[in-house]
Structures are given as structure tokens and as C-alpha cells.
Amino acid sequence: MSGRDPELNHDSDLGRELDAALETRKELGASYEAELVESFLAKVEQRIDATVDKRVRRQLAEQQMVIARGGRPAPGSGESHGPGAAFGLAALSLVLAIPLSAIAAAQTGLAGIFVCWAGIVGVNACYAGGKLFNRGARREDWD
């Protein structure tokens, strides 16, 4: 077994396949160019899929090993929502606040607007509080 990386062998294999496709194009002419390109791209796609599958399997195996040993999955492995989710909730709340406020004002007046906005603020506060609570629980695990 050589010390070379198998992924480098794939690159050289793809290079040989590209050279073969170009030689075939020279022999057959431009009329078969689309088929040759599609064939080569299909091979590239298969290589990419195989590489991605291999990496995903490797990461899943590593996570399972960590969990089996009693550890926690690495941060960013789907456990935390990140700032994007908080921004999305805030933006959605503001967008929905406009029609909800109009409906509440039309139905019950000022009291309806207060109830509507209390609900919007409550949903956002619960989300933020839940994130802080979860973050605090993770810190306690380290102590």
C-alpha cells in the first residue's frame, strides 16, 4: 500500500478520463461533444457524491464515538440554532405584527393591540430565554 492519498488517485483518474474524452472528441468531431461532456460530468458527479458520502459517514462515525464515550456532540452539529434563527424569528415577528396589529385594532381597539404585541414580545422572549437557559445548562456540564 502506498503512502499516497486515494483522493489524489481519483484526481489523476479524472485527468485521464478528461484526456480520453478530448481525444474521443478529436476523433468523432464536434457532433458528439454534448454527449462526451455529459458523460464526463456524470463521472465527476459520481466522484463528488462518493466523496461527500464518505465524509458524511466519517463525521457520523466520529459523532457516534464521542456520544458512546459519554461526550457531547461538537458545537454546530445541529444542536444550537445560531444567530440566523433568532434573526429569522425577529424578522418574521415584525412582518406578522403589521397584519395582526391591524386585525386586533379593527376588532377590539387599543386593548387588542396591547394583547397582540404582548404575544409577539412573549414569543420572542421565550425563544431568547430558552437559548440562554440551554447555554447555561451546557456551561454547568463543564464545571
Side-chain angles (χ1 to χ4, degrees):
M1 182 175 189
S2 67
R4 296 181 62 193
D5 187 7
E7 290 185 18
L8 292 178
N9 285 338
H10 289 306
D11 290 342
S12 63
D13 290 345
L14 279 177
R16 284 192 295 268
E17 289 177 17
L18 178 60
D19 290 339
L22 292 174
E23 288 298 319
T24 304
R25 187 210 179 267
K26 288 178 187 176
E27 291 175 11
L28 297 177
S31 61
Y32 290 98
E33 185 172 335
E35 290 84 3
L36 291 170
V37 169
E38 287 177 20
S39 173
F40 179 73
L41 289 178
K43 291 175 185 176
V44 170
E45 185 178 356
Q46 288 173 351
R47 292 279 167 78
I48 291 171
D49 288 344
T51 303
V52 169
D53 288 344
K54 179 179 164 184
R55 288 180 184 169
V56 168
R57 282 193 305 269
R58 185 182 312 140
Q59 287 177 349
L60 287 174
E62 288 172 1
Q63 287 178 356
Q64 289 173 350
M65 291 291 289
V66 168
I67 291 170
R69 291 180 180 160
R72 289 186 161 265
S77 62
E79 190 174 310
S80 73
H81 298 289
F87 177 76
L89 179 64
L92 182 65
S93 296
L94 291 175
V95 168
L96 292 177
I98 296 168
L100 290 174
S101 297
I103 293 168
Q107 296 295 321
T108 58
L110 191 59
I113 293 176
F114 283 129
V115 170
C116 175
W117 278 92
I120 292 168
V121 169
V123 166
N124 284 285
C126 287
Y127 180 81
K131 283 187 71 165
L132 289 174
F133 178 75
N134 287 338
R135 191 177 302 152
R138 277 189 248 136
R139 284 190 187 135
E140 290 173 3
D141 290 343
W142 288 99
D143 293 336

